Amino acid sequence: MRIETEARFACSHPNIPVHRVAIIGGGFAGASLARSLTLAARVEPGDIVVFEPHQRLGAGLAYDACDPAMRLNVAAHRMRALPEAPDAFLSFLRQSGCLARDPDAIRGTDVYARRADFAAFMEETMRPLLDDGTVIHARDRVDSVHRSAEGWQI
């Protein structure tokens, strides 16, 4: 995918300049889109901003669960958050110690991790892109989007 458009959007958020890509919602889908764009397109730091009021990108409502009883309904080896690394989540569970701290996750040959563990995995996946400024996380809610002669106003 190549982004070569001059279309930009302006944001009323005081610390966010003009950008080329705005993603509204930073749950799993929004965070995954931001990550995919950075890998597939020629983007410069700050070209992508994700509007998500929650603290962590990638968690959203589905995975930002504090209750340890809230588990994924899909085995960990089938959670393909990173297409280029299908076993990334299962590897994260082992390397981070999540699996060792949660022996109840193992059901036969499958692992049914806690939803919060998947949120932690997504947060770790997004961290390098946030740290180097490739993706900006605007901890704000979007109230409206308007098109103007100069582009889009969020």
Side-chain angles (χ1 to χ4, degrees):
M1 175 180 295
R2 292 173 59 180
I3 300 174
E4 293 195 43
T5 178
E6 288 301 313
R8 299 175 86 71
F9 71 89
C11 173
S12 58
H13 193 283
N15 297 322
I16 303 208
V18 174
H19 297 278
R20 290 183 9 180
V21 177
I23 299 170
I24 300 171
F28 173 73
S32 295
L33 176 59
R35 183 179 179 279
S36 294
L37 286 172
T38 64
L39 296 176
R42 295 179 318 207
V43 295
E44 296 178 20
D47 274 354
I48 298 172
V49 63
V50 180
F51 291 89
E52 171 57 53
H54 293 95
Q55 182 176 346
R56 301 189 293 180
L57 286 184
L61 295 175
Y63 304 113
D64 200 15
C66 297
D67 184 350
M70 298 294 293
R71 296 196 175 276
L72 297 171
N73 58 347
V74 174
H77 73 279
R78 299 187 74 183
M79 295 294 287
R80 305 276 168 93
L82 311 180
E84 74 282 5
D87 294 329
F89 178 51
L90 192 54
S91 295
F92 167 82
L93 291 172
R94 291 182 179 123
Q95 294 169 0
S96 66
C98 291
L99 196 53
R101 290 188 301 273
D102 183 19
D104 291 339
I106 301 169
R107 298 284 183 225
T109 60
D110 291 329
V111 174
Y112 290 89
R114 293 179 174 133
R115 288 180 173 268
D117 292 339
F118 189 73
F121 166 73
M122 287 301 296
E123 182 177 31
E124 182 178 288
T125 299
M126 293 302 296
R127 177 65 39 217
L129 303 175
L130 296 167
D131 287 348
D132 72 8
T134 302
V135 174
I136 294 174
H137 178 193
R139 289 197 56 202
D140 236 335
R141 201 174 60 114
V142 172
D143 295 321
S144 64
V145 178
H146 303 283
R147 187 175 186 146
S148 69
E150 295 82 37
W152 294 91
Q153 177 72 39
I154 297 176

